[in-house]
Every structure is written in C-alpha cells, then in structure tokens.
Amino acid sequence: MNQTKIQRIIDSGVDFNIEEILSKAWEMFKSQALLHIGFMAMIAAIQVCFSLYLEDITFLYAIFLSPPLVCGFYLVANRQNQGEPVDFQNYFDGFKYWWDLVSTNLISSVVVILGLILFIVPGIYLLVGYMFSLLFVIYGGFDFWTSMELSRRLVHTNWLKFFLFGLALLALNIAGFLFLMVGLLVTVPITYLAVYILFEELTIDAVEEEPKNTAIHG
C-alpha cells in the first residue's frame, strides 16, 4: 500500500453502505461456510480449554494467539475475493505476521482501555478508530503506530458511520449468542469478513502492484 495514496483517501473522506457491506459478507461466508464455521469452532474450543483448564494464563491466549488467529479470517477473505482456492491451512497465515499483529493488538488495546478508564468517550472513539489497525499491518506492512494512526485517521473521516457499523456487528453477534451461542459460529466469521470487505473497498485505490501475498488486489 502507498501511504501517500492512503492520505489522499483520508483527505477526501469516505462513506459506505452498512447494509451492502453486511450483505457482501454474508455471501462471502456462504461460499465457504463449512471452513469458516470449522475454524471458528476451533477458536472457540481453544478459548474454552483456556477458560476451563488454564484460567490463570488465559491472558496469554488473548495476547499471543488471538490476533493471528482472528486475522486468519481477513487473509482467507482476501483469497476468496481474488477467486483463489481456500483450504483450512490458509486460516493460519496470520502467524506469518505474528509479532507485528501481537504488538499492534496489545498496544492499541492498552490505549483503548486507558481511554475507557480515564475518560470513557476517548476510549470509545479509539475502540472504533482502531478497527483497521491489524489490516494495515497485514496489507500495508506498516509498523504498529503507523497502522493505528492510519486506521484512526481513516475512521475519523466518518466516525459516526463507523460507530453505527460497529453497533450493527454487535447486534449481529448478540443475535448469534441468543441462538444458544451456536449462532456465534456464523456471526463472528461474518463480522470479520465484513470488516475486511469494508477495509478493501475504502483502501483499494491505495494498493500498489505487489506480489499477492503482500497486498489486497481488486
């Protein structure tokens, strides 16, 4: 990704249709439903194991394993979007960016928590603002602070719309939880696919011609 082009996108402002993004995420989910559900079930099983048997070190999962695992959805979504074949091992490609994802997720989480504890409103602002941080790490190759700032500045151009998008995703997952929690196997993957789709649509003009494993291609 070209940072200058990203800045141009930020300067011009962004807008999007929430319903359209969710609809595209649903279609993407359906095309590889068994794989998405299977990977989500694996993540849920790992979380349950930590909660039941490794409760004292559950934080280690959240810090060191969760970021690359959930980013597996972003990487598979990219493959789906390009019409490339997908298999289960592709979900683990997030570990190729392990340290950058872990450091970015940890630092952004600390900043958000401090904002929530001290002032609440800034914490909410940053929670929404950092939604693309990990995607900028993967597809932009940026360091943690640049990724966080690019995400925040991009979201800032239309923060209320992104906030409503986040509420829509939250409502979707609450609905999934109410279906005896089984629905989360569907709604959580859709959530990550939707974030990826939105990110791609907003930043596609900043993509440079690079090898497929380092950039989003439209």
Side-chain angles (χ1 to χ4, degrees):
M1 280 188 171
N2 185 297
Q3 193 167 344
T4 301
K5 291 182 179 180
I6 296 173
Q7 187 58 52
R8 289 176 188 162
I9 294 171
I10 293 171
D11 292 339
S12 62
V14 299
D15 197 9
F16 55 93
N17 185 302
I18 296 175
E19 183 178 354
E20 183 178 305
I21 296 297
L22 293 177
S23 177
K24 289 181 178 179
W26 170 241
E27 292 301 319
M28 182 176 281
F29 171 82
K30 287 195 301 181
S31 68
Q32 294 288 349
L34 291 180
L35 285 177
H36 288 312
I37 290 174
F39 186 64
M40 186 60 224
M42 188 204 75
I43 291 178
I46 294 173
Q47 292 175 334
V48 169
C49 286
F50 268 90
S51 298
L52 293 179
Y53 306 111
L54 301 169
E55 184 177 358
D56 292 339
I57 58 171
T58 300
F59 69 95
L60 294 178
Y61 167 81
I63 295 174
F64 296 111
L65 291 179
S66 181
L69 284 175
V70 299
C71 283
F73 287 113
Y74 297 148
L75 292 158
V76 168
N78 182 239
R79 294 183 68 88
Q80 285 188 255
N81 199 52
Q82 302 311 313
E84 297 178 1
V86 175
D87 56 48
F88 201 72
Q89 70 179 19
N90 295 132
Y91 288 96
F92 299 95
D93 287 346
F95 285 94
K96 297 177 181 178
Y97 312 90
W98 180 78
W99 174 247
D100 292 325
L101 292 176
V102 167
S103 58
T104 301
N105 183 70
L106 179 61
I107 294 169
S108 61
S109 296
V110 169
V111 173
V112 168
I113 291 171
L114 287 175
L116 290 171
I117 292 174
L118 297 177
F119 303 108
I120 300 179
V121 173
I124 296 174
Y125 168 80
L126 293 173
L127 179 63
V128 178
Y130 290 153
M131 72 166 61
F132 298 131
S133 295
L134 298 182
L135 283 155
F136 274 119
V137 169
I138 295 172
Y139 295 110
F142 303 119
D143 60 68
F144 71 87
W145 186 251
T146 301
S147 297
M148 289 164 58
E149 273 298 284
L150 287 175
S151 178
R152 184 194 64 79
R153 298 207 311 261
L154 180 63
V155 171
H156 182 77
T157 64
N158 199 345
W159 188 88
L160 181 58
K161 192 68 169 284
F162 285 102
F163 177 68
L164 294 175
F165 175 68
L167 288 182
L169 296 179
L170 177 62
L172 179 68
N173 285 287
I174 290 175
F177 179 82
L178 293 177
F179 275 92
L180 302 177
M181 294 182 65
V182 177
L184 292 174
L185 296 177
V186 173
T187 60
V188 172
I190 290 175
T191 296
Y192 289 113
L193 298 180
V195 172
Y196 168 83
I197 290 169
L198 179 55
F199 176 78
E200 184 190 55
E201 292 194 359
L202 296 180
T203 64
I204 191 65
D205 290 338
V207 175
E208 297 182 300
E209 291 298 324
E210 298 178 2
K212 287 189 176 183
N213 65 340
T214 58
I216 296 178
H217 295 260

